[in-house]
Structures are given as structure tokens and as C-alpha cells.
């Protein structure tokens, strides 16, 4: 799936605009399980592909070059969190809505005077989200209750054309509506009339 964190409709449109009409051979729904470096002009790069769900070998491809984009991970190892009684999940630190650190992800207790923002808490791994979380943490530290509305933080993909969104995807909204018992409405518009 291309752009898995974006709305499905946006991702499909991006695939159509950015890839389909270009001579790009691409794969979705797979992981590169092994990459063997090549020698430019002499030997190709070999990539073994596995199915993202089953982890079964799908194919082995040979290419001129490979770009590895593995995503982001929290840099929380070797911080002594476990010694302080703080459990992490895949390196992510659990926090409440005030950015206060919790002892664990499920029903954890607040660790007094310890806050965590940004990629380390995994709520939204974007720089401007970390800034908003930092402001929230400081406000709470000085006694002014503040909660970040992560649904109001935009996300962007710096492509041509540029792609951006704010709030949950349609799929997430459908799930929330069912869970919380409200009716979901949908409105679509087109920015073609916008001159900018």
C-alpha cells in the first residue's frame, strides 16, 4: 500500500498521479528481507522480497541501485527508563494527554515530574507535532492544564503535486463513528478552482 498513513482515496490518487504514468517498477505489500550490495557497473543490487503479512518469500529482484527508507524509531534505548520503572513498547514511552510519562502503556501510573514529547512517545512522529507536545508539556509543568488535539495537526507529503491532510482518515472516522455511536457525514470538494 502506497502512503499507508494517508486516507485511502488520497493514496490512490497519489499513486495515479505520481507513479502509474511513469516508467517506475514498484512493489507494495512487501518488505525487503535482505539486500545484497552490488558494484556499480559490474554487479546489480539483489533484493529478496517477502509478503508483508505472511512473511513468505515473494521474489528476488536485481536492480542498479536501492534506496533504503526504513521510517522513524524512538531513540530511547540506554536511557535507563526500565531502571526508573518505565516500560516501553518497541521503544515508545507511554504518555497521557498531558504528556506525562506513564509506567506502562496499558493502565500505567503517572511518573511524577517526567514528561515525554515527540518521536519518543510515538503519538505523531512529526516535528510540528513534537513542538505542540512540547508546548503542552510546559503548560502542564507550570500548572496550566493543556491537551494537544492530535486530530488538528496537519501531515504532508512533499511530492509534486504536494499532498497534505489534517485529522483522521475516512477509515479512522468510520471506525470512531461506530465505536462512539455517532453518524458520519462526508463532504468532498475540488481545489481546481483555487488559483494558488
Amino acid at each position: 500500500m502506497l502512503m499507508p498513513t494517508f486516507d485511502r482515496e488520497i493514496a490512490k490518487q497519489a499513486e495515479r498521479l505520481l507513479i502509474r504514468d511513469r516508467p517506475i517498477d514498484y512493489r507494495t505489500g512487501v518488505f525487503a528481507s535482505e539486500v545484497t550490495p552490488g558494484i556499480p557497473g559490474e554487479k546489480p543490487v539483489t533484493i529478496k522480497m517477502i509478503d508483508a503479512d505472511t512473511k513468505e518469500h515473494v521474489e528476488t529482484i536485481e536492480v542498479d541501485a536501492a534506496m533504503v527508507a526504513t521510517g522513524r524509531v524512538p531513540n530511547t534505548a540506554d536511557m535507563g527508563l526500565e531502571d526508573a520503572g518505565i516500560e516501553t513498547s518497541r521503544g515508545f514511552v507511554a504518555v497521557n494527554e498531558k504528556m506525562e510519562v506513564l509506567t506502562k502503556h496499558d493502565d500505567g501510573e503517572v511518573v511524577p515530574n517526567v514528561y515525554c514529547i515527540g518521536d519518543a512517545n510515538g503519538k505523531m512522529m512529526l516535528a510540528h507535532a513534537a513542538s505542540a507536545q512540547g508546548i503542552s508539556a510546559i503548560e502542564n509543568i507550570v500548572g496550566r492544564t493543556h491537551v494537544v488535539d492530535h486530530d488538528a495537526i496537519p501531515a504532508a507529503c512533499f511530492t509534486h503535486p504536494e499532498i497534505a491532510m489534517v485529522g483522521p482518515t475516512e477509515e479512522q472516522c468510520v471506525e470512531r463513528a461506530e465505536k462512539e455511536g455517532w453518524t458520519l457525514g462526508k463532504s468532498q470538494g475540488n481545489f481546481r478552482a483555487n488559483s494558488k
Side-chain angles (χ1 to χ4, degrees), residues 51-115:
D51 184 275
D53 297 322
T54 66
K55 309 299 185 246
E56 299 282 327
H57 180 264
V58 175
E59 68 177 316
T60 299
I61 60 175
E62 292 183 343
V63 295
D64 296 328
M67 179 178 79
V68 179
T70 58
R72 295 165 287 215
V73 294
N75 187 12
T76 57
D78 303 320
M79 290 180 67
L81 295 172
E82 291 78 17
D83 296 337
I86 301 167
E87 293 179 16
T88 61
S89 175
R90 295 182 3 253
F92 294 110
V93 176
V95 296
N96 64 14
E97 70 282 349
K98 295 179 179 180
M99 300 297 116
E100 295 172 307
V101 171
L102 305 175
T103 54
K104 58 184 178 178
H105 283 267
D106 294 321
D107 300 321
E109 296 177 21
V110 172
V111 178
N113 305 313
V114 181
Y115 295 78

Side-chain angles (χ1 to χ4, degrees), residues 124-196:
M124 194 174 219
M125 299 176 84
L126 299 169
H128 50 285
S131 294
Q133 292 172 4
I135 290 167
S136 185
I138 294 299
E139 289 292 325
N140 287 301
I141 288 168
V142 299
R144 293 190 293 258
T145 300
H146 187 276
V147 175
V148 176
D149 180 2
H150 287 90
D151 284 347
I153 296 176
C157 187
F158 300 101
T159 56
H160 183 75
E162 296 157 336
I163 299 168
M165 64 180 241
V166 178
T169 65
E170 183 178 345
E171 295 85 0
Q172 291 167 330
C173 287
V174 167
E175 190 176 298
R176 279 190 196 175
E178 289 174 7
K179 182 180 175 184
E180 297 173 16
W182 43 271
T183 304
L184 179 66
K186 179 178 175 179
S187 176
Q188 285 184 271
N190 197 320
F191 285 101
R192 286 186 182 161
N194 187 345
S195 63
K196 294 189 178 199

